[in-house]
């Protein structure tokens, strides 16, 4: 009996967004009296970092520091419409809507600044630090806070913008079956290294190597955390979690809360190496694609392939329990004996 090591890989591609009769998201942007900008959404941040990325999109488009941006996710009663946080659509759909709204607000902001400086709005630019300045004469400038005060109390204007990103519905062409069900697709590959105890059937994932083509990583740190957090979920699905154990009598025999539900802990986590590749999407916000859901996908078949490489057992149902490994080894031995 021995500990056997194996390596396996799996590659996936994953769509951003869905067809769903348009799949729209809306955003509103307005300036406060002191030059801050509020982005109002109904889109929900589930912990994936949407609020941060949205603030980045708004700040980059407006030309102001990210510290000047407040993201208000409101609710579905009071906020602008959003189809929801699903289908890896948040950054793509909401980011595009925020950019549209911020562009509209920026136009008003520059016009107010132009009136205050007595210049043409087309001759102005933002410097990213909170100032609006005259091109070619940077000493002639005005701070965004002064612009906001002037808009509110002298010019009687609202610095605001509206944005709505809509993917037009796509229907099937009857003659060919073709359609356009999504906006773009991200790609990924995971390599897993495992160690399998051929006496107990226990699988230990030693390392995961993740490579993700994400369009453009608007926030590389958050994107990497999403990749590695998703890999944890994939590992959990592969080795620990059963969707409905003991169905239809789950409440009689299965776990009732997270103190009983089996998931990998810190000691079960493999070493991860993650690389982000950038191939910007033409229709993405600054080229970004969605990667949220796909991050749990590739590790599962990669682990299964690594187990096959290690002990020759092909696992086809999750979770990959020691019992399944041992049954597979018994079948291999019986086949050789026969």
């Amino acid at each position: 009996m021995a500990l056997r090591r194996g390596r396996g890989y799996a590659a996936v591609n994953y769509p951003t967004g869905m067809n769903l009769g348009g799949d729209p998201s809306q955003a509103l942007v307005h300036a406060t009296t002191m030059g801050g900008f509020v982005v109002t959404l109904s889109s929900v941040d589930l912990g994936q970092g949407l609020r941060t990325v949205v603030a980045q999109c708004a700040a980059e488009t407006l030309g102001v520091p990210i510290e000047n941006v407040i993201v208000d996710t409101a609710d579905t009663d009071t906020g602008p419409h959003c189809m929801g946080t699903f289908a890896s659509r948040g950054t793509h759909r909401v980011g595009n809507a925020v950019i549209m709204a911020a562009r509209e607000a920026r136009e008003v902001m520059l016009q107010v600044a132009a009136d205050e400086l007595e210049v043409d709005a087309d001759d102005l630019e933002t410097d990213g630090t909170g100032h609006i300045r005259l091109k070619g004469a940077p000493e002639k400038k005005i701070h965004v806070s002064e612009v906001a005060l002037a808009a509110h109390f002298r010019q009687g204007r609202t610095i605001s913008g509206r944005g709505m990103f809509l993917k037009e519905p796509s229907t099937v062409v009857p003659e060919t079956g073709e359609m356009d069900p999504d906006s773009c697709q991200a790609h990924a590959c995971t390599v897993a290294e495992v160690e399998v105890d051929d006496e107990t059937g226990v699988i230990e994932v030693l390392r995961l190597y993740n490579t993700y083509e994400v369009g453009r990583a608007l926030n590389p740190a958050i994107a990497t955390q999403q990749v590695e957090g998703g890999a944890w979920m994939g590992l959990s699905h592969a080795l620990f979690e059963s969707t409905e154990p003991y169905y239809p009598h789950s409440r009689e025999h299965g776990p009732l809360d997270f103190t009983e539900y089996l998931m990998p802990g810190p000691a079960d986590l493999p070493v991860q190496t993650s690389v982000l590749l950038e191939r910007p999407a033409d229709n993405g916000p600054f080229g970004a694609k969605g990667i949220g859901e796909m991050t749990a996908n590739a590790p599962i078949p990669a682990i299964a392939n690594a187990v096959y490489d290690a002990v020759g057992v092909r696992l086809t149902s999750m979770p990959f329990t020691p019992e399944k490994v041992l049954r597979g080894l018994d079948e291999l031995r019986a086949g050789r004996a026969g």
Side-chain angles (χ1 to χ4, degrees):
M1 302 301 176
L3 297 175
R4 301 186 184 182
R5 291 197 174 189
R7 174 180 289 179
Y9 77 91
V12 300
N13 67 302
Y14 206 84
T16 296
M18 298 176 68
N19 199 22
L20 285 180
D23 197 17
S25 284
Q26 295 177 322
L28 303 175
V29 173
H30 77 272
T32 67
T33 55
M34 295 304 295
F37 286 86
V38 179
V39 179
T40 305
L41 307 168
S42 288
S43 311
V44 178
D45 191 328
L46 301 177
Q48 77 275 33
L50 181 64
R51 292 169 66 97
T52 300
V53 170
V54 161
Q56 288 180 256
C57 289
E60 182 72 16
T61 305
L62 290 163
V64 301
I66 193 171
E67 293 79 14
N68 286 34
V69 178
I70 300 169
V71 178
D72 176 16
T73 51
D75 59 49
T76 53
D77 283 333
T78 61
H81 175 74
C82 180
M83 287 293 289
T85 302
F86 60 89
S88 303
R89 67 187 294 283
T91 293
H92 188 276
R93 300 291 196 266
V94 182
N96 273 323
V98 168
I99 289 171
M100 292 175 184
R103 283 175 180 163
E104 189 173 284
R106 177 185 169 89
E107 289 182 10
V108 181
M109 177 181 72
L110 292 180
Q111 187 57 60
V112 172
D115 292 345
E116 292 299 303
L117 294 174
E118 299 182 343
V119 298
D120 194 301
D122 292 337
D123 294 331
L124 293 176
E125 63 183 3
T126 51
D127 66 359
T129 69
H131 288 91
I132 299 170
R133 64 191 182 190
L134 186 64
K135 298 174 184 176
E139 68 280 357
K140 190 174 182 65
K141 62 185 179 180
I142 184 172
H143 196 270
V144 172
S145 60
E146 298 175 72
V147 174
L149 287 169
H152 281 85
F153 299 107
R154 273 201 299 275
Q155 299 186 22
R157 305 182 68 177
T158 300
I159 300 176
S160 62
R162 303 156 296 171
M164 180 171 179
F165 183 81
L166 173 69
K167 181 193 180 301
E168 295 184 3
S170 174
T171 56
V172 177
V173 178
E175 293 77 16
T176 64
E178 65 181 302
M179 67 177 302
D180 180 22
D182 53 60
S183 297
C184 52
Q185 297 201 358
H187 307 82
C189 181
T190 293
V191 177
E193 292 183 356
V194 305
E195 188 173 77
V196 184
D197 189 322
D198 65 4
E199 183 175 8
T200 66
V202 171
I203 302 168
E204 182 180 359
V205 180
L206 303 175
R207 292 179 179 83
L208 291 175
Y209 302 90
N210 310 301
T211 302
Y212 278 74
E213 184 274 298
V214 300
R216 186 176 182 188
L218 302 187
N219 190 308
I222 288 179
T224 301
Q225 290 170 347
Q226 194 162 30
V227 166
E228 298 188 352
W232 176 89
M233 295 176 68
L235 170 68
S236 188
H237 285 307
L239 301 185
F240 293 90
E241 296 186 60
S242 180
T243 306
E244 266 295 357
Y246 309 106
Y247 180 84
H249 305 294
S250 300
R251 293 192 63 81
E252 296 175 22
H253 304 287
L256 300 179
D257 55 41
F258 285 118
T259 63
E260 299 176 350
Y261 193 86
L262 194 59
M263 294 184 291
D268 303 302
L269 297 181
V271 176
Q272 295 197 53
T273 301
S274 301
V275 176
L276 302 177
L277 304 178
E278 295 187 308
R279 300 290 186 273
D282 292 339
N283 59 13
F286 302 107
K289 301 177 181 179
I291 64 167
E293 292 170 317
M294 70 184 297
T295 55
N297 292 0
I300 299 172
I303 292 169
N305 289 335
V307 171
Y308 180 79
D309 184 52
V311 295
V313 173
R314 176 62 71 189
L315 299 170
T316 58
S317 63
M318 299 181 292
F320 308 147
T321 61
E323 292 82 1
K324 292 177 182 177
V325 174
L326 293 177
R327 289 193 190 102
L329 289 171
D330 287 343
E331 291 173 4
L332 289 174
R333 295 187 187 105
R336 284 195 292 267

